[in-house]
Amino acid sequence: MAVCAMIGGADDWESTAKFAQARKPFFDRILGLQHGVPSTDTFSRVFSLINAEQFECCFRHWVMQSLSADGMKYLAIDGKTIRPSHNRKLYDPPLYIVSAYASEAGLVLAQEKVDEKSNEITAIPRLLEHLELKGSTVTIDAMACQKAITEKIVEREGNYVIGLKGNQPKLFEQVEAQFERWSRYRGRLRGLACAVSSW
């Protein structure tokens, strides 16, 4: 009931209880509410006793099991600053979150908070630990072009497409050189094809 209420826009326990009460016939049909809809205090008390990390783990597992293989085909990983999350008076910086988005399903599968004195590079491997990557293609921007991240994806039987910029000079040069070789090779093949067709 709380998950449905949250998806429906409820942002506190009072609105959660009101949401459930307004949809009592629906919840009664699927849950069999022998004692009726829980009160605001009951919702609050139950969720205060639940381990948030365990709940997140169970929820993520349930969502991933509900998705078809096609829904997990492409996973886009990106970091975003939650703008209204900072407090200027207390000099609190805004919250920075890295999310894994299943683009085919239109669903965020997992999120990881970036530590205050860190960046995406340390948060992404933790995020990948929570995901079933077998057969999926993970896309990430150039900041994540790191061995530890690509190794983690391969270890979990996934594929990756990662941006590459000048922040990795040696790798950038190698890739540029490879593309130049392919370009020359393709030019020679085109020339050969023309020669064969004219012959």
Side-chain angles (χ1 to χ4, degrees):
M1 285 185 280
V3 169
C4 289
M6 204 171 293
I7 292 169
D11 57 3
D12 59 24
W13 300 126
E14 188 177 344
S15 53
T16 300
K18 282 181 182 175
F19 179 95
Q21 190 65 50
R23 288 151 186 86
K24 187 180 176 188
F26 168 75
F27 287 122
D28 196 30
R29 193 169 62 250
I30 60 172
L31 300 172
L33 299 172
Q34 293 177 342
H35 306 289
V37 172
S39 68
T40 302
D41 291 339
T42 303
F43 275 110
S44 175
R45 193 167 51 254
V46 168
F47 276 88
S48 70
L49 297 170
I50 291 175
N51 180 303
E53 287 179 11
Q54 286 297 317
F55 178 79
E56 183 189 1
C57 184
C58 292
F59 183 76
R60 192 185 300 121
H61 185 69
W62 170 65
V63 169
M64 283 196 260
Q65 280 195 325
S66 303
L67 283 178
S68 64
D70 286 344
M72 294 283 287
K73 208 171 183 180
Y74 303 105
L75 298 176
I77 293 180
D78 196 19
K80 291 280 180 266
T81 302
I82 312 299
R83 297 246 175 248
S85 63
H86 71 292
N87 187 327
R88 288 184 184 166
K89 289 178 185 174
L90 298 175
Y91 301 102
D92 277 346
L95 189 62
Y96 195 76
I97 298 281
V98 177
S99 302
Y101 178 72
S103 53
E104 298 291 305
L107 194 65
V108 173
L109 296 179
Q111 293 183 316
E112 190 70 36
K113 181 184 171 216
V114 176
D115 296 331
E116 198 176 308
K117 293 183 180 177
S118 185
N119 58 31
E120 288 179 38
I121 295 169
T122 57
I124 290 172
R126 294 196 309 265
L127 179 73
L128 293 171
E129 283 290 338
H130 301 305
L131 298 168
E132 177 61 54
L133 298 180
K134 189 173 183 178
S136 297
T137 300
V138 178
T139 63
I140 322 177
D141 62 22
M143 187 176 196
C145 190
Q146 305 286 328
K147 263 188 190 177
I149 292 171
T150 55
E151 283 171 357
K152 179 69 74 180
I153 294 168
V154 171
E155 176 190 304
R156 300 182 70 78
E157 300 181 59
N159 307 299
Y160 58 85
V161 176
I162 298 183
L164 176 63
K165 290 183 181 174
N167 63 333
Q168 299 280 355
K170 285 184 182 176
L171 182 59
F172 191 81
E173 284 170 23
Q174 289 171 355
V175 170
E176 264 193 335
Q178 185 64 48
F179 272 103
E180 281 173 23
R181 281 195 293 275
W182 284 340
S183 182
R184 285 197 302 272
Y185 179 67
R186 197 171 60 197
R188 284 200 297 271
L189 281 178
R190 196 176 290 126
L192 182 64
C194 289
V196 168
S197 64
S198 62
W199 179 70

